[in-house]
């Protein structure tokens, strides 16, 4: 676990305006996120960016560590005034973004000059993007992470979403010129509006549930946040009042009594009593962060061998891309 900086020397949002950036418009829900926490045994959700692929590639483009903190943008983004030069990248759903009114390209490292204003608008597909700043955003560190936990009210900027007037800071790193690095489209998390999620069955999966969950399309309901995405259609849910509370992890599909499935996201509670007949494979977890109300999805059961192979292939491709991007940072190409 990374030890927090001493309180006296930890720069956080709300400090003096000589450096960093000021939030002029907060957006729908913009939070500081990183790779999350690893203290589930204490009952604390992992949290972190809902689309970890976007986080990793955005950080690699500006020369940050993969787990560095940045801004997670949801549905509609912020407007930020920079008080010092910076190198930024925006990865994820295809948000409209401008720098002093000129289009800002996604999936690129983009230099920002002192006094410039970055505006992230909305997106027609997907739900979230990750804005990385070279040097990594500061924030309140809790259990080794600066990720914002909105329910618990800690991490990031006072445990909440950004507000106008918030001040963002980051660590100074040697300046780097923007490079023409290219992120292959097949590395990017698909943004819908139609999704196929690969799943594994659990001990709760019965033959009836397999037939009802795997043989139909579902629609993402408006009840979708960082804890989970509820689906509109219902299935016959088993009821067992004696069922004990069991551990939950992101990617599990819960079946509450009303039969409307819930796909768990990074801020979901660590335990629950609902049946969980399916779990999304690791390689498809980033897609959960891009589920937008109104999107449709289907669930396809795969073998554990298939799930393992998909995870290895995805991780191999991401690590190769990260290595190549950081080599470009080091060499200045």
């Amino acid at each position: 676990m990374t030890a927090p900086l001493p309180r006296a020397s930890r720069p956080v949002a709300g400090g003096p305006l000589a450096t960093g950036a000021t939030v002029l418009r907060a957006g729908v829900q913009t939070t500081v996120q990183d790779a999350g926490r690893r203290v589930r045994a204490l009952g604390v959700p992992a949290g972190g960016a809902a689309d970890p692929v976007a986080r990793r590639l955005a950080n690699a483009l500006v020369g940050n560590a993969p787990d560095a903190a940045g801004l997670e943008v949801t549905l509609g983004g912020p407007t930020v005034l920079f008080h010092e030069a910076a190198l930024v990248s925006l990865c994820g759903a295809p948000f409209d973004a401008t720098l002093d009114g000129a289009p800002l390209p996604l999936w690129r490292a983009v230099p920002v000059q002192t006094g410039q204003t970055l505006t992230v608008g909305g997106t027609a597909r997907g739900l979230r993007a990750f804005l990385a700043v070279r040097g990594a955003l500061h924030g309140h560190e809790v259990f080794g992470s600066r990720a914002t936990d909105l329910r618990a009210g800690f991490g990031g900027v006072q445990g909440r979403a950004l507000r106008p007037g918030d001040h963002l800071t980051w660590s100074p790193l040697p300046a780097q010129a923007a490079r023409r690095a290219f992120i292959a489209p097949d590395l990017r998390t698909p943004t819908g509006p139609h999704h196929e999620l690969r799943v594994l069955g659990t001990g709760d999966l019965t033959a009836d549930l397999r037939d009802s969950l795997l043989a139909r399309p579902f629609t993402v309901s408006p009840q979708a946040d960082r804890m989970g995405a509820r689906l509109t259609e219902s299935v016959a849910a088993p009821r067992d009042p004696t069922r004990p509370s069991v551990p939950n992890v992101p990617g599990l599909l819960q079946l509450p009594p009303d039969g409307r499935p819930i796909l768990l996201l990074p801020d979901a509670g660590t335990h629950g009593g609902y049946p969980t007949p399916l779990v999304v494979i690791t390689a498809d977890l980033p897609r959960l962060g891009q589920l937008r109300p109104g999107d449709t999805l289907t669930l396809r059961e795969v073998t554990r061998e298939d799930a393992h192979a998909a995870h290895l292939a995805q991780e191999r491709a991401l690590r190769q891309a990260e290595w190549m991007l950081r080599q470009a940072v080091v060499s200045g190409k």
Side-chain angles (χ1 to χ4, degrees):
M1 183 181 301
T2 304
L5 295 169
R7 185 174 300 275
S9 63
R10 186 195 305 165
V12 297
L17 300 181
T19 59
T22 300
V23 178
L24 304 181
R25 178 174 60 89
V28 175
Q29 186 183 84
T30 307
T31 57
V32 174
Q33 298 294 343
D34 56 17
R37 301 176 173 86
R38 297 186 178 183
V39 287
R40 296 184 61 84
L42 301 180
V44 179
D51 182 350
V53 169
R55 165 183 53 79
R56 290 174 61 173
L57 294 175
N59 275 321
L61 280 164
V62 297
N64 288 343
D67 59 353
L71 293 182
E72 180 176 87
V73 177
T74 304
L75 196 60
T79 297
V80 180
L81 171 63
F82 283 76
H83 304 296
E84 62 177 304
L87 187 66
V88 305
S89 62
L90 182 64
C91 296
F95 281 81
D96 295 322
T98 61
L99 185 61
D100 276 356
L104 181 136
L106 275 65
W107 304 97
R108 295 285 190 274
V110 180
V112 179
Q113 304 304 318
T114 301
Q116 287 193 299
T117 299
L118 172 62
T119 299
V120 181
T123 177
R125 301 193 322 275
L127 190 64
R128 295 180 175 90
F130 190 87
L131 177 65
V133 181
R134 179 166 169 78
L137 290 186
H138 295 137
H140 292 109
E141 189 172 297
V142 180
F143 295 120
S145 169
R146 295 170 181 171
T148 305
D149 188 318
L150 294 170
R151 300 281 177 169
F154 57 65
V157 181
Q158 301 174 18
R160 57 169 172 78
L162 294 190
R163 296 174 183 167
D166 283 339
H167 183 219
L168 306 173
T169 58
W170 50 88
S171 298
L173 290 179
Q176 290 288 343
R179 296 157 305 284
R180 293 184 176 273
F182 175 75
I183 303 293
D186 59 355
L187 278 178
R188 309 173 190 178
T189 303
T191 53
H194 308 294
H195 307 263
E196 181 185 72
L197 300 176
R198 292 167 289 182
V199 296
L200 295 171
T202 73
D204 289 336
L205 183 63
T206 64
D208 287 343
L209 284 176
R210 176 178 277 110
D211 290 341
S212 58
L213 289 170
L214 301 178
R216 61 183 297 180
F218 289 94
T219 306
V220 180
S221 81
Q223 295 175 279
D225 58 18
R226 284 186 47 82
M227 292 188 68
R230 185 184 289 268
L231 307 181
T232 298
E233 296 78 10
S234 62
V235 301
R239 301 189 182 187
D240 180 4
T242 66
R243 177 185 172 88
S245 180
V246 296
N248 284 335
V249 295
L252 275 175
L253 183 141
Q254 283 188 334
L255 273 184
D258 67 1
R260 294 171 59 201
I262 302 171
L263 288 163
L264 300 187
L265 267 73
D267 284 357
T270 58
H271 290 75
Y274 296 148
T276 52
L278 298 172
V279 61
V280 176
I281 70 171
T282 301
D284 284 356
L285 288 179
R287 299 192 68 155
L288 300 183
Q290 297 297 351
L291 292 179
R292 180 188 181 107
D295 282 0
T296 59
L297 64 87
T298 56
L299 304 168
R300 178 167 66 89
E301 190 175 14
V302 297
T303 67
R304 295 183 182 276
E305 292 75 19
D306 290 337
H308 184 62
H311 176 53
L312 286 180
Q314 181 187 61
E315 189 63 24
R316 186 180 301 113
L318 283 171
R319 291 192 181 190
Q320 182 178 24
E322 288 171 326
W323 182 84
M324 293 179 67
L325 291 170
R326 291 198 176 86
Q327 289 298 113
V329 171
V330 171
S331 64
K333 293 181 180 178

